[in-house]
Amino acid sequence: MSKSKVYFTREISPASLVRVYEALGVRLPGKVAVKISTGEAGNPNYLKPELIQDLVQKLKGTIVECNTAYEGARNDTVAHLQTAKEHGFTEIADVDIMDADGEIEIPVKNGKHLEVDIIGKNFENYDSMLNLAHFKGHPMGGFGGALKNQSIGIASAAGKAYIHTAGKSRDVATLWEHTAPQDDFLESMAEAATAVADYMKEQEKPIVYINVINNLSVDCDCVATPEAPCMADIGIAGSLDPVALDQACIDMIWNSDDPGRDHFVERVERQNGRLIIDAAARLGLGSKEYELVELD
């Protein structure tokens, strides 16, 4: 079996982001969902509108998100849209909070924890998706990349509760009283990400995956006051295989001689973060074996 291709450039610019997308060789048709994190109010590390604008507008894409399951400036639709506006996203594209009008359930195949994935209802309105993730650390997942962006990111608020509790509860109000053991949570994220991919594949709706590896804080864009980045920016990577993509980004961190590398690795290992990659590979979402194609 041939290895999945991961395309990479060290240049982080609007033009290089378009170049990575074009290297993937897949045209995203129809109404395109561009899944990003709009970033919690106060967080400076989210992908900036000026970086993603050219690609989003080239695709005539709609920026999509779902409401959060924690207190903050994005846990209801009005506040979430206001935060997206303050961060400049509404100036470059339409923004759709996909669970504003409810949610739908899609099947999870061969899941250990989840029977369904509960996602924003409006996701069914799109013909294709660009999963555009900011690759960085995460206080709960260890790291966040394409897999997390497609699991927690597309889940409705209730769906996020369902993933965090490994299928035990959909109640956002009591979520943090019933969080699952760490490995169960990571496996549940992998199951949700795979369910989205299966749902899209069955409808012949393509997905492409791009990670921007910059602002490498050990904290996620969901944290209002994150730690400052501990490593220098690395670049942009893209693939049709989200497992290979996240694995390639992890390998770039692990192989780095950056003085902040150990701090980032410690966060990932503390949370057993790489398990999400292993679990997604076992579910058949993709392969950990890849060929890195440098575009520079």
Side-chain angles (χ1 to χ4, degrees), residues 106-109 117 147 150-151 187-201 207 209 242-243 276 279-286:
I106 60 175
V108 170
K109 301 172 184 175
D117 186 24
L147 294 170
Q150 189 157 294
S151 55
E187 290 171 343
S188 296
M189 280 204 293
E191 291 174 15
T194 304
V196 170
D198 288 344
Y199 171 83
M200 295 288 277
K201 184 177 181 180
I207 308 173
Y209 302 89
V243 176
I276 189 175
R282 287 196 298 267
L283 288 164
L285 178 53

Side-chain angles (χ1 to χ4, degrees), residues 12 35 41 49 64 89 101 123-124 126 134 164 177 188 210 239 243 251 253 257 274:
I12 301 177
K35 176 63 187 75
V64 301
F89 293 111
D101 299 315
F123 189 65
E124 62 187 354
Y126 294 92
H134 173 210
H164 272 287
E177 300 169 22
S188 296
I210 297 177
S239 183
V243 176
D251 288 345
I253 302 287
D257 58 4
R274 289 179 291 173

Side-chain angles (χ1 to χ4, degrees), residues 116-184:
V116 296
D117 186 24
I118 309 166
I119 66 175
K121 182 178 186 300
N122 291 352
F123 189 65
E124 62 187 354
N125 298 335
Y126 294 92
D127 302 302
S128 58
M129 178 170 69
L130 169 62
N131 178 336
L132 180 55
H134 173 210
F135 189 91
K136 69 287 178 190
H138 195 281
M140 297 189 71
F143 77 92
L147 294 170
K148 180 181 178 295
N149 198 39
Q150 189 157 294
S151 55
I152 289 288
I154 291 176
S156 67
K160 290 176 172 64
Y162 191 63
I163 294 168
H164 272 287
T165 62
K168 301 298 189 297
S169 174
R170 306 177 182 208
D171 183 9
V172 173
T174 61
L175 161 61
W176 305 112
E177 300 169 22
H178 302 290
T179 52
Q182 179 66 7
D183 287 1
D184 292 356

